[in-house]
Short mmCIF file of all heavy atoms in Angstrom, two decimals:
data_model
loop_
_atom_site.label_atom_id
_atom_site.label_comp_id
_atom_site.label_asym_id
_atom_site.label_seq_id
_atom_site.Cartn_x
_atom_site.Cartn_y
_atom_site.Cartn_z
N GLU M 664 0.01 -70.00 18.55
CA GLU M 664 -1.22 -70.40 17.86
C GLU M 664 -0.92 -71.64 17.01
O GLU M 664 0.00 -71.61 16.18
CB GLU M 664 -1.70 -69.25 16.97
CG GLU M 664 -2.77 -69.61 15.98
CD GLU M 664 -4.05 -70.12 16.61
OE1 GLU M 664 -4.49 -69.54 17.62
OE2 GLU M 664 -4.60 -71.11 16.09
N SER M 666 -2.18 -72.97 14.43
CA SER M 666 -2.24 -72.85 12.97
C SER M 666 -1.23 -71.84 12.41
O SER M 666 -1.16 -71.66 11.20
CB SER M 666 -3.66 -72.47 12.54
OG SER M 666 -4.03 -71.23 13.11
N MET M 714 0.35 -59.78 7.25
CA MET M 714 -0.48 -59.84 8.45
C MET M 714 -1.95 -60.04 8.10
O MET M 714 -2.66 -60.79 8.79
CB MET M 714 -0.30 -58.57 9.29
CG MET M 714 1.04 -58.48 10.00
SD MET M 714 1.34 -59.85 11.15
CE MET M 714 0.07 -59.53 12.37
N ALA M 715 -2.41 -59.41 7.04
CA ALA M 715 -3.80 -59.59 6.60
C ALA M 715 -4.05 -61.05 6.23
O ALA M 715 -5.09 -61.63 6.59
CB ALA M 715 -4.11 -58.67 5.43
N LEU M 717 -2.34 -63.66 7.33
CA LEU M 717 -2.28 -64.47 8.55
C LEU M 717 -3.60 -64.38 9.31
O LEU M 717 -4.12 -65.40 9.78
CB LEU M 717 -1.13 -63.99 9.45
CG LEU M 717 0.28 -64.33 9.01
CD1 LEU M 717 1.29 -63.71 9.97
CD2 LEU M 717 0.49 -65.83 8.91
N ARG M 718 -4.12 -63.16 9.46
CA ARG M 718 -5.40 -62.99 10.17
C ARG M 718 -6.51 -63.79 9.49
O ARG M 718 -7.32 -64.43 10.17
CB ARG M 718 -5.78 -61.51 10.23
CG ARG M 718 -4.95 -60.71 11.18
CD ARG M 718 -5.45 -59.27 11.26
NE ARG M 718 -4.54 -58.47 12.01
CZ ARG M 718 -3.64 -57.64 11.48
NH1 ARG M 718 -3.57 -57.47 10.17
NH2 ARG M 718 -2.83 -56.95 12.25
N LYS M 719 -6.54 -63.73 8.17
CA LYS M 719 -7.59 -64.45 7.43
C LYS M 719 -7.44 -65.96 7.62
O LYS M 719 -8.42 -66.65 7.89
CB LYS M 719 -7.50 -64.09 5.95
CG LYS M 719 -8.58 -64.73 5.12
CD LYS M 719 -8.49 -64.29 3.68
CE LYS M 719 -9.58 -64.98 2.86
NZ LYS M 719 -9.53 -64.59 1.46
N HIS M 720 -6.21 -66.46 7.51
CA HIS M 720 -6.00 -67.90 7.63
C HIS M 720 -6.28 -68.41 9.04
O HIS M 720 -6.86 -69.48 9.22
CB HIS M 720 -4.56 -68.27 7.23
CG HIS M 720 -4.30 -69.73 7.25
ND1 HIS M 720 -4.80 -70.59 6.30
CD2 HIS M 720 -3.61 -70.51 8.12
CE1 HIS M 720 -4.44 -71.82 6.60
NE2 HIS M 720 -3.70 -71.79 7.70
N ILE M 721 -5.89 -67.63 10.03
CA ILE M 721 -6.07 -68.06 11.42
C ILE M 721 -7.50 -67.79 11.88
O ILE M 721 -7.98 -68.42 12.81
CB ILE M 721 -5.02 -67.37 12.33
CG1 ILE M 721 -3.63 -67.89 11.98
CG2 ILE M 721 -5.32 -67.60 13.80
CD1 ILE M 721 -2.51 -67.17 12.67
N GLY M 722 -8.17 -66.84 11.24
CA GLY M 722 -9.55 -66.54 11.62
C GLY M 722 -9.65 -65.46 12.67
O GLY M 722 -10.55 -65.49 13.50
N VAL M 723 -8.74 -64.50 12.63
CA VAL M 723 -8.74 -63.40 13.58
C VAL M 723 -9.21 -62.15 12.83
O VAL M 723 -8.72 -61.84 11.76
CB VAL M 723 -7.33 -63.16 14.16
CG1 VAL M 723 -7.31 -61.96 15.08
CG2 VAL M 723 -6.84 -64.40 14.88
N ALA M 724 -10.11 -61.43 13.42
CA ALA M 724 -10.63 -60.20 12.80
C ALA M 724 -9.55 -59.13 12.78
O ALA M 724 -8.72 -59.05 13.68
CB ALA M 724 -11.84 -59.69 13.56
N ASP M 725 -9.57 -58.32 11.75
CA ASP M 725 -8.64 -57.19 11.64
C ASP M 725 -9.03 -56.17 12.70
O ASP M 725 -10.20 -55.80 12.82
CB ASP M 725 -8.74 -56.58 10.25
CG ASP M 725 -7.61 -55.63 9.94
OD1 ASP M 725 -6.85 -55.28 10.85
OD2 ASP M 725 -7.49 -55.24 8.77
N VAL M 726 -8.06 -55.72 13.48
CA VAL M 726 -8.35 -54.83 14.61
C VAL M 726 -8.20 -53.36 14.27
O VAL M 726 -8.27 -52.52 15.15
CB VAL M 726 -7.44 -55.17 15.82
CG1 VAL M 726 -7.77 -56.54 16.36
CG2 VAL M 726 -5.98 -55.08 15.44
#
Side-chain angles (χ1 to χ4, degrees):
E664 167 61 43
S666 60
M714 288 300 294
L717 287 176
R718 287 184 188 101
K719 183 177 179 180
H720 183 73
I721 293 172
V723 176
D725 193 350
V726 294

